[in-house]
Amino acid sequence: MKSLSFLFALVLPTSFLFGEELLFREDFKEVEAHIPAVKEDLTSPFLGFERLGPGESQIKLSYHPEIPNDPHYLWNGLCPGPVLMAFPFKEVTDLSASDWVCRLNTKNFGKSTLNLSVRSGGRWYAQKKSVATARDWNDQSLPLHSEDWFELDPKTVTLGKQAKTLNFKAIDAIGFAAPVKADGSKDCIRLNWFELVQDAEAKNQASLLPKGEFLENETPFLRSALVFTHEGETHLVRRGVLVPLHHDNLWACFDPDLLRWVVVWKAPTGRSPISYDSMASVSFPDKKAKASKAPRLKGEVLLTFPKNPYYKEQIKDTRQTTLIDSDLPVGPSATGRWEGITLSGKRPILNYTIGGRLYREQVSASQKHIFENFVDRQRDPGFSAGHSGVAIFYSADGQIHPSAVEFPEPAKPEPIFPETFRVKNPQAKADGPFTVRNQSFPNSGRPIRSVDIAFQADGTALVLTLDGDVWQVKDIESDEPAWTRVATGIFEPMAIEVSADGKVYTLGRDQITQLMDSNNDGHFDIFRNASDAFLQTIHTRDYATSLAVGADGSFYLGKGGITNIGAKGIEDELSAHRGTILHITADGMKATVLADGLRLPFVGLRNDGTVFASDQQGHFIPSTPLHILTQGTPYLGFEPTNFRKAKSAVEPLLWYPYQANRSAAGFCTTSSQAFPDLANTFLQVSWNGRLFAIETPEKGLPFSWQLPLQLDFPALNGASHPQSGRLYVTGLGISGYKPTTPELVGLASIEQTQPFPTPKNLAVESQSIAVRFNRPFTAKESIIPGNPLLRLFNVHRTPNYGSGHYLWNDKPGEHLITASKFAPSSDGQQFEMDFDVNLRRSDVFDLQLNITSDTTNFPIHLYTRPHHLPEASSRDLKALEDAERDAKKLDKGDAAVGKPLFTQYACSGCHALDGQKLTGPPLNGVADRLDVAKLRESILNPTAEIAPGYEPSMPSFEGVIPPQDLEHLLEFLRTLK
């Protein structure tokens, strides 16, 4: 593969496209340091200088000649209180134009803030949002016109109520407020220079979107699907690059599959250019909604592009015929390749190759042209240094005006979101043998809905959100970590990974993206297409769920396969990569299906190279499966993605009971430092806030066991800190899928803080079970059997959602079996159980044990699938009937007992008691609408009658809820009047 350095060498700087007018610039004179700073220290004749506030007498003009390149700057480190550094103008100035920007260079950290201030009509005002903190000199741009102005008391330097009006036509001073008392060099502000400019780029900016929306005004680009109709024809863009043109609400969309711009449109004033219909945007930040269609273009279509005007050989749209055929090339790969996005300043440069030539494009708009497209093309396919450029201007009447141009040196990439937030973490808490510390999220104005976390070698964490952001977290192990948003615009990503050689990859619906920082400022400014070799549809459930990077640099990923969730027509697209686990070569060019027939899989790669996959209960998936992919290309049972028409499904390694592992998600591995009894254990992460260890011993059955741990939030993925070894787990629950956890989103560190023996081997025979542990039990440790000790049942794979639990004779129910003998082995490292009845083949095996010591007492569950045992005979069933003959008669239901069961059996995840509409109908007042018989039927046979407006997504609880528990639950439901 050729070096990618050529990709990012030439871009079009902002200064080439836009002009600006400077009102003044203040750099401060190069004189000896002194206290206090005075007017004579200024270089600009336009400005005066006043020191205001309780700490004004100690404002210092600072300079350290012993430090190379140290500038002259204002410093508040010794000030005994807040200060306002005020700079009166020589004349009242009209700053009412929307394009005025204050640029400044600062270095401030700790708790200190620096707030831009202005004076109008004798009153001071300050922006509430501080300049970004930075431990090195940092350039920043602050637009004057925002909704963030508050009244400022210059005597106390405190912010008051939000300003209703601010007369920008009569500004007579600018200033910088430091409302927090400094604490020497460790907590202070430094102001190196500042200037006030009339910025043509800001002037051309479209009308601002309301704050708090999914799409932000600062967004340089947005990766998204897009559907639009023009002149009666519907166009589908599956991996679009949406770019704001910064003038008159104009936007453009580039299609990387076709390597051309497809549409330019004018969005409604002050409104989003697309409908918020994607899974991320429709639920943002906490809306109770699910996506049923792709985002639509909003506004007026001005231009469409049936072909690329810059080269003769066009990319044909073969996607409609190749979506189901995975052997044909994806998109334009046979002729050209989408290479990715680089940032010039804060603007995107689009990079692609066709016929061996590299193309770069940057776009804008102006009052004269609705679309200005600047194109840079290599002169020959040998990737030489020679380039030719053209600028093509499209006027409102559709006329095209080409012009040859030469491209100057690139603009330095600028952080889109430079501000760093310090947050205070809560204290850690004990949970069984573990200690859990929840992490606080910063109050940045942008909700953090985290889906994955990865670590760089120095311990810096990278937190990924469903909304397309990457947050860098420094000092994550400290009491006050620092959060900075370092990337944005990624297409509904679900995974972030750092490879062994330090490369950062994210997986979105569009591609695997390598994130790169070209100028070492800590912010990602290169979004390289590492691979888009997988087929992608417009379907809202065509998620890219998970990513793993192999030791050879190749990729493993999971693709969602759910179909027909409100989708019709074009929304119901399928592809041969739906519901699959894919392996993609290290060069990103070839995708191979490792397994298909999956509903919503996550992929995991164990340290030894073994590939695992989880899936989630639903239609054709009767419970929560765990798969191991060792050979062939297995079909794993989800019929809508059975494109090869396999006759039968390969059964999983094991089934988890749905109530134990509700929606399996990603995988992670523990460290030896933080988990001495669980060293290097491969874990399955569950959406209901649980973790399951996976063991595949050379002898005995493969099994998984539930760690005695319950997180406060839905868990999706995890990663270990490279130094401490602590496991960090994160995840979220989007609206419409309410989890059973108390929180909807979270991030926490986990470590083992109490010793306990962990199961390493499981042997199951017809009348015995043996569990061997990682070490012998101490004199203070023991195991007692659960009640019941063993649950055995079968599940049925049908087109219905989920499955009931069934006895060996196929009647509803579970076999609950007690051991006749339960004792440790002679070496104290194994516990052995004997049974008076025969254990027989079962889909679900749940062995319940309680580990006890003088300091701990907690349950663990071991799950396996003992299909090596013979099927049950009539004699086996008769023996079980005899053993159960003395079972207690059912007591009358108790509502107080039934109330906690409503949460235990996950009813609260889909049915609200306060009238909210979740996945299932609300149950407040249900006792007035349904009698006991109907309530019983709705639990045991939920598809018998579907509430209007809801999908048949509830599984049967027949055999799942013990009869006595069902009576208690029904009695509780009868109280809901």
Side-chain angles (χ1 to χ4, degrees):
M1 188 174 182
K2 293 181 181 292
S3 168
L4 290 169
S5 61
F6 69 86
L7 258 181
F8 313 111
L10 294 178
V11 292
L12 195 64
T14 303
S15 60
F16 179 75
L17 299 176
F18 310 107
E20 60 189 37
E21 180 180 340
L22 179 68
L23 180 64
F24 65 82
R25 179 183 174 96
E26 180 53 56
D27 284 292
F28 305 112
K29 291 181 179 178
E30 296 183 1
V31 297
E32 290 186 3
H34 56 269
I35 298 175
V38 294
K39 179 182 182 301
E40 288 69 26
D41 297 326
L42 272 57
T43 59
S44 172
F46 189 78
L47 300 177
F49 181 57
E50 296 175 0
R51 303 185 309 271
L52 303 173
E56 57 86 16
S57 64
Q58 296 298 303
I59 296 176
K60 180 180 181 180
L61 181 71
S62 188
Y63 168 63
H64 300 84
E66 70 278 9
I67 299 177
N69 302 317
D70 192 47
H72 289 70
Y73 56 90
L74 295 184
W75 181 57
N76 76 330
L78 300 178
C79 293
V83 295
L84 171 60
M85 296 171 283
F87 302 88
F89 296 165
K90 70 176 183 181
E91 58 188 27
V92 176
T93 304
D94 182 357
L95 300 179
S96 61
S98 62
D99 53 351
W100 283 105
V101 174
C102 178
R103 293 180 182 156
L104 66 165
N105 180 267
T106 65
K107 181 163 64 170
N108 62 295
F109 43 83
K111 297 179 180 179
S112 291
T113 62
L114 189 66
N115 304 75
L116 176 64
S117 308
V118 295
R119 188 171 64 191
S120 177
R123 300 179 66 90
W124 278 97
Y125 304 86
Q127 290 187 352
K128 189 172 183 179
K129 185 177 181 180
S130 167
V131 302
T133 57
R135 290 190 172 271
D136 202 355
W137 293 110
N138 183 37
D139 293 349
Q140 301 185 53
S141 296
L142 305 176
L144 260 64
H145 288 266
S146 74
E147 300 174 1
D148 195 37
W149 288 101
F150 286 72
E151 295 178 358
L152 175 68
D153 185 340
K155 294 181 179 180
T156 61
V157 195
T158 55
L159 275 68
K161 60 184 179 181
Q162 189 166 12
K164 294 182 178 180
T165 60
L166 202 169
N167 183 12
F168 281 102
K169 288 183 175 293
I171 302 296
D172 66 357
I174 192 170
F176 299 93
V180 178
K181 179 181 176 295
D183 187 11
S185 296
K186 65 181 181 182
D187 192 344
C188 62
I189 63 98
R190 297 174 173 88
L191 177 62
N192 179 19
W193 58 259
F194 62 97
E195 62 185 14
L196 201 60
V197 297
Q198 198 165 11
D199 186 349
E201 181 176 3
K203 185 175 182 178
N204 288 334
Q205 189 83 21
S207 61
L208 295 179
L209 296 169
K211 290 185 178 181
E213 285 206 1
F214 174 77
L215 185 59
E216 300 171 283
N217 293 299
E218 299 89 343
T219 302
F221 64 87
L222 177 69
R223 299 302 305 266
S224 174
L226 183 68
V227 177
F228 68 95
T229 300
H230 182 61
E231 295 181 348
E233 183 179 357
T234 298
H235 300 260
L236 306 182
V237 183
R238 298 167 180 85
R239 317 179 203 238
V241 184
L242 279 57
V243 179
L245 302 183
H246 300 282
H247 177 79
D248 200 24
N249 306 318
L250 295 173
W251 284 73
C253 177
F254 185 89
D255 189 338
D257 281 342
L258 304 179
L259 299 182
R260 69 171 183 249
W261 297 96
V262 289
V263 63
V264 175
W265 74 102
K266 182 176 181 178
T269 301
R271 296 174 59 190
S272 170
I274 58 173
S275 62
Y276 289 150
D277 286 318
S278 67
M279 186 61 82
S281 63
V282 77
S283 63
F284 182 89
D286 56 2
K287 297 175 183 175
K288 294 174 174 59
K290 294 186 291 184
S292 61
K293 59 183 180 180
R296 262 59 177 175
L297 180 153
K298 292 177 67 175
E300 178 187 1
V301 174
L302 302 179
L303 291 173
T304 59
F305 303 83
K307 64 180 182 178
N308 192 317
Y310 317 128
Y311 52 86
K312 295 180 180 179
E313 186 175 3
Q314 295 296 311
I315 302 299
K316 296 180 180 179
D317 188 352
T318 60
R319 293 169 301 177
Q320 294 291 347
T321 58
T322 64
L323 281 174
I324 293 299
D325 191 343
S326 60
D327 293 329
L328 293 177
V330 179
S333 59
T335 306
R337 175 175 169 80
W338 164 247
E339 301 291 355
I341 298 172
T342 62
L343 292 183
S344 172
K346 295 184 178 181
R347 295 215 166 188
I349 307 294
L350 280 60
N351 305 268
Y352 57 91
T353 53
I354 293 180
R357 283 190 172 91
L358 173 66
Y359 291 77
R360 290 184 191 86
E361 298 194 26
Q362 185 175 26
V363 293
S364 63
S366 66
Q367 291 191 2
K368 189 174 182 180
H369 304 115
I370 61 173
F371 190 54
E372 299 174 343
N373 192 6
F374 298 84
V375 185
D376 176 30
R377 185 185 72 172
Q378 278 188 324
R379 295 186 188 279
D380 61 70
F383 302 124
S384 68
H387 288 253
S388 62
V390 62
I392 301 183
F393 305 102
Y394 296 78
S395 55
D397 60 4
Q399 296 297 311
I400 301 176
H401 311 278
S403 175
V405 296
E406 289 295 330
F407 288 87
E409 287 300 310
K412 178 182 177 181
E414 298 179 35
I416 305 301
F417 300 99
E419 187 170 3
T420 295
F421 302 87
R422 285 277 178 182
V423 299
K424 189 172 181 59
N425 281 332
Q427 294 296 311
K429 62 181 181 179
D431 191 348
F434 305 105
T435 293
V436 178
R437 188 179 197 184
N438 288 327
Q439 299 280 314
S440 299
F441 291 131
N443 184 16
S444 68
R446 176 75 164 178
I448 296 180
R449 305 197 298 166
S450 54
V451 293
D452 199 3
I453 184 172
F455 284 95
Q456 296 177 297
D458 64 355
T460 297
L462 298 173
V463 175
L464 181 71
T465 77
L466 179 67
D467 306 310
D469 301 321
V470 177
W471 288 82
Q472 176 194 82
V473 189
K474 294 279 191 179
D475 307 321
I476 194 171
E477 304 254 86
S478 71
D479 291 338
E480 295 188 11
W483 289 68
T484 308
R485 188 154 37 140
V486 294
T488 191
I490 307 170
F491 190 178
E492 284 189 352
M494 289 287 287
I496 187 167
E497 292 288 326
V498 177
S499 65
D501 57 358
K503 296 175 181 176
V504 179
Y505 297 99
T506 64
L507 175 66
R509 284 171 59 103
D510 51 346
Q511 64 186 43
I512 301 171
T513 302
Q514 182 185 355
L515 301 177
M516 304 166 70
D517 177 8
S518 67
N519 58 353
N520 297 315
D521 66 352
H523 292 254
F524 295 116
D525 50 71
I526 297 174
F527 300 76
R528 185 182 79 86
N529 174 24
S531 179
D532 57 1
F534 54 84
L535 296 166
Q536 182 62 40
T537 72
I538 207 81
H539 198 290
T540 62
R541 298 309 192 274
D542 194 356
Y543 301 117
T545 63
S546 48
L547 175 70
V549 183
D552 61 352
S554 62
F555 306 99
Y556 299 83
L557 61 91
K559 291 275 288 175
I562 298 176
T563 60
N564 296 320
I565 304 297
K568 297 178 181 179
I570 61 171
E571 312 291 350
D572 199 25
E573 275 189 335
L574 291 175
S575 83
H577 289 172
R578 293 291 310 277
T580 63
I581 301 297
L582 298 176
H583 178 249
I584 297 180
T585 52
D587 63 3
M589 301 302 292
K590 183 179 180 181
T592 302
V593 176
L594 298 183
D596 60 13
L598 291 143
R599 183 175 180 270
L600 195 62
F602 283 69
V603 68
L605 188 64
R606 199 163 62 182
N607 288 340
D608 62 1
T610 305
V611 181
F612 289 81
S614 66
D615 206 354
Q616 299 183 2
Q617 175 183 273
H619 305 283
F620 298 98
I621 308 297
S623 195
T624 303
L626 175 67
H627 302 282
I628 186 169
L629 308 181
T630 55
Q631 58 184 358
T633 307
Y635 161 66
L636 299 177
F638 186 58
E639 187 60 28
T641 57
N642 184 14
F643 300 115
R644 294 181 293 136
K645 305 301 180 184
K647 293 183 178 180
S648 61
V650 175
E651 293 302 311
L653 186 71
L654 58 89
W655 296 100
Y656 295 102
Y658 174 71
Q659 285 68 32
N661 188 346
R662 185 185 179 208
S663 298
F667 299 84
C668 55
T669 302
T670 62
S671 69
S672 57
Q673 308 102 292
F675 296 87
D677 285 311
L678 280 159
N680 303 311
T681 297
F682 195 56
L683 301 180
Q684 203 286 305
V685 181
S686 173
W687 189 68
N688 58 352
R690 296 172 180 171
L691 302 174
F692 297 83
I694 299 170
E695 300 288 350
T696 55
E698 292 184 4
K699 294 183 179 180
L701 289 177
F703 69 100
S704 181
W705 61 277
Q706 180 179 330
L707 272 62
L709 173 75
Q710 178 62 60
L711 297 172
D712 295 336
F713 55 86
L716 290 174
N717 287 295
S720 293
H721 191 282
Q723 277 77 50
S724 72
R726 292 187 181 93
L727 180 65
Y728 283 76
V729 177
T730 192
L732 86 157
I734 60 174
S735 301
Y737 296 94
K738 184 179 180 182
T740 56
T741 55
E743 303 296 333
L744 289 176
V745 63
L747 168 66
S749 66
I750 307 167
E751 62 181 320
Q752 182 188 345
T753 47
Q754 294 186 30
F756 75 105
T758 58
K760 301 299 289 185
N761 191 278
L762 175 65
V764 179
E765 301 300 336
S766 289
Q767 289 193 317
S768 66
I769 296 174
V771 182
R772 192 161 186 82
F773 291 79
N774 65 316
R775 59 170 176 79
F777 281 63
T778 67
K780 295 182 178 181
E781 296 171 336
S782 183
I783 284 188
I784 59 175
N787 183 21
L789 170 66
L790 182 63
R791 283 199 309 158
L792 298 174
F793 60 88
N794 291 321
V795 292
H796 291 171
R797 192 189 297 274
T798 71
N800 296 328
Y801 194 98
S803 171
H805 295 183
Y806 296 94
L807 303 170
W808 293 333
N809 62 4
D810 228 19
K811 294 181 179 179
E814 300 176 346
H815 295 294
L816 308 179
I817 302 176
T818 302
S820 58
K821 176 186 175 184
F822 188 93
S825 60
S826 58
D827 65 0
Q829 196 169 343
Q830 181 166 297
F831 272 77
E832 299 167 348
M833 292 144 266
D834 292 340
F835 299 87
D836 291 335
V837 297
N838 290 327
L839 307 181
R840 290 301 181 237
R841 182 179 301 176
S842 306
D843 291 330
V844 178
F845 170 108
D846 177 6
L847 180 65
Q848 304 177 37
L849 306 173
N850 289 280
I851 296 180
T852 66
S853 72
D854 58 347
T855 58
T856 58
N857 185 350
F858 49 83
I860 61 171
H861 291 248
L862 280 70
Y863 304 105
T864 191
R865 182 172 166 268
H867 265 228
H868 66 292
L869 298 176
E871 293 186 355
S873 66
S874 57
R875 179 177 297 180
D876 297 323
L877 293 169
K878 180 66 167 57
L880 271 178
E881 290 175 4
D882 293 341
E884 297 168 353
R885 184 175 302 158
D886 295 330
K888 286 185 178 181
K889 183 180 178 181
L890 292 180
D891 297 327
K892 185 178 184 302
D894 185 333
V897 177
K899 185 176 181 179
L901 295 178
F902 185 78
T903 299
Q904 178 182 326
Y905 287 107
C907 310
S908 59
C910 298
H911 302 282
L913 301 181
D914 58 1
Q916 294 186 68
K917 184 177 179 181
L918 301 176
T919 303
L923 295 184
N924 52 310
V926 69
D928 295 328
R929 301 191 299 272
L930 301 177
D931 58 23
V932 173
K934 278 292 186 182
L935 288 172
R936 188 185 301 273
E937 180 187 58
S938 67
I939 296 171
L940 301 181
N941 186 18
T943 58
E945 186 173 341
I946 306 300
Y950 291 87
E951 301 166 9
S953 60
M954 177 177 169
S956 169
F957 279 79
E958 190 167 30
V960 177
I961 301 179
Q964 186 63 68
D965 282 1
L966 180 58
E967 296 304 312
H968 294 318
L969 183 59
L970 287 170
E971 195 64 25
F972 168 66
L973 295 177
R974 290 181 62 189
T975 68
L976 303 179
K977 298 182 178 181

